[in-house]
Amino acid sequence: MEPTVIAVDAMGGDNAPGVVLDGCAQALAADDNLRIMLCGPAEVVEPFAEQQPHCEAVVTTEVIDMGEHPANAVRRKKDSSLVVGCRLVKEGKAKGFFSAGSTGACLSAATLVMGRVKGIKRPCLATVVPSPVKPCVLTDIGANADCKPEYLVQFAIMGRIYCRSVLGVQNPTVGLLNIGEEETKGSEFAQLCHAALKDVEGFQGNAEGHDVVNGTYDLVVTDGFTGNVCLKTIEGTSKMLFSAIKNIMMTSLKTKVGALCIKGDLYKFKDTVSADTYGGAPLLGVKGGCMVGHGSSNATAIKNGVAATATMVREDLPGQIMAALASETDADQASEGGE
């Protein structure tokens, strides 16, 4: 089998480059067929590559910081680790790209440098929302604050391909995030989206907020503004609950003994609902696998993010998306011809 080459931004994330290097080392150790092109300053990437036979150092001279304007930084810092990583994919030297750096800069670089799959109106960010019931893919979570109904149709098509190829869900169910189950619920935009999504395979109607964490649907689609608010509400609630449970368990000798008794089960549960398990958010609709990690990613999240990027590449998600759009276009033309 031909090795899978992934470009990685060594300088992406709040704790870079340390956790990125640790995560890459773990990913390489777990996958003999993985190759990494590590982009960053010479003093960071060269010593690491010397110790890792399946890693190539790609020296860059610039770094895009979290606080910079994304599009401006991408245009100005052409030799940044983030932009160079995307360029390696465009040039065919790598098949996918992973970064835990600025989400906005990742979106801009992937769209401007790697380019969109033909026919895609807007790439979208998806994420797997962990749940003890079953995981749910939520998209868009921030790439497109303002949307049109036809964008959500493409989000649903791309999201179903991701569910099938990466998560192994054979026939993904789709819900539209709304304020009620009834077809007539929600804003005018939501109702237009509902009508547009009716022809999407697997669409089962409106999903409410609790459906995202209850695993009612395999995929929930919405606009990027609503999706981002929903995701951050879930993340914030999860952190608050775990913090509150920890504080309660440290209040007395009795609770501390109880904590010791269930410590292992609590860690298992935490792993079940941890976003680190999936490593980041795939950007669907660009040419090449692209995974955006959380800024606060630890080494485990980096490892899983690199592995998830490799899976996207091996499953040829861009090719599958292109084929699905071509099939949809052919069906629309046949329908118009028959009228």
Side-chain angles (χ1 to χ4, degrees):
M1 182 190 297
E2 183 179 345
T4 303
V5 183
I6 303 299
V8 175
D9 175 12
M11 305 307 293
D14 300 335
N15 303 307
V19 296
V20 178
L21 301 183
D22 290 344
C24 285
Q26 292 177 28
L28 288 167
D31 187 347
D32 291 337
N33 199 48
L34 177 67
R35 303 292 183 271
I36 288 177
M37 300 184 77
L38 190 62
C39 306
E43 65 272 18
V44 172
V45 299
E46 289 183 340
F48 181 83
E50 288 175 3
Q51 299 174 0
Q52 297 286 341
H54 291 167
C55 178
E56 177 185 344
V58 180
V59 175
T60 61
T61 60
E62 296 174 305
V63 175
I64 294 178
D65 297 322
M66 290 289 194
E68 294 187 71
H69 186 281
N72 290 345
V74 167
R75 291 189 178 95
R76 190 176 70 255
K77 294 185 172 181
K78 297 186 183 301
D79 198 44
S80 63
S81 51
L82 198 155
V83 173
V84 170
C86 287
R87 192 182 306 134
L88 291 171
V89 178
K90 179 182 179 181
E91 294 171 352
K93 296 175 182 176
K95 296 296 183 181
F97 172 67
F98 173 82
S99 175
S102 163
T103 299
C106 287
L107 297 179
S108 295
T111 304
L112 294 172
V113 180
M114 292 167 60
R116 289 179 288 174
V117 170
K118 184 179 180 181
I120 290 295
K121 294 179 173 65
R122 294 287 190 278
C124 66
L125 267 177
T127 192
V128 180
V129 179
S131 166
V133 183
K134 71 172 184 178
C136 170
V137 174
L138 177 66
T139 187
D140 181 22
I141 59 164
N144 307 278
D146 298 304
C147 289
K148 298 179 180 179
E150 54 264 36
Y151 297 173
L152 269 68
V153 170
Q154 291 194 341
F155 298 169
I157 292 171
M158 293 189 289
R160 289 190 88 244
I161 293 171
Y162 183 76
C163 286
R164 238 183 356 252
S165 300
V166 177
L167 300 183
V169 181
Q170 294 306 308
N171 189 27
T173 55
V174 182
L176 169 67
L177 191 59
N178 207 330
I179 59 172
E181 295 180 357
E182 297 83 1
E183 186 173 337
T184 55
K185 285 282 189 177
S187 63
E188 181 181 356
F189 172 70
Q191 293 178 44
L192 289 172
C193 289
H194 190 286
L197 286 163
K198 281 185 175 180
D199 293 331
V200 173
E201 186 178 357
F203 181 64
Q204 295 189 347
N206 288 332
E208 296 184 73
H210 59 80
D211 290 316
V212 178
V213 291
N214 286 341
T216 310
Y217 300 92
D218 298 304
L219 170 68
V220 172
V221 294
T222 185
D223 61 275
F225 181 91
T226 307
N228 191 272
V229 172
C230 178
L231 177 65
K232 288 181 178 176
T233 300
I234 293 170
E235 290 178 340
T237 302
S238 176
K239 289 178 181 178
M240 180 272 295
L241 285 175
F242 275 108
S243 177
I245 291 170
K246 182 178 179 180
N247 290 337
I248 289 171
M249 288 184 166
M250 294 295 106
T251 56
S252 69
L253 178 60
K254 180 178 68 174
T255 57
K256 288 178 181 178
V257 172
L260 284 173
C261 293
I262 63 171
K263 182 178 179 181
D265 292 327
L266 277 178
Y267 275 120
K268 289 179 183 177
F269 176 70
K270 188 175 181 180
D271 289 341
T272 301
V273 298
S274 173
D276 292 346
T277 303
Y278 300 97
L283 180 61
L284 305 176
V286 294
K287 296 177 180 177
C290 181
M291 182 74 67
V292 183
H294 200 286
S296 60
S297 292
N298 56 27
T300 299
I302 298 292
K303 170 201 169 186
N304 292 335
V306 173
T309 311
T311 300
M312 291 173 65
V313 168
R314 288 164 180 160
E315 294 294 332
D316 188 23
L317 250 68
Q320 289 194 56
I321 289 170
M322 187 179 295
L325 290 181
S327 177
E328 181 191 24
T329 301
D330 290 343
D332 290 342
Q333 291 175 346
S335 176
E336 292 172 0
E339 293 177 356

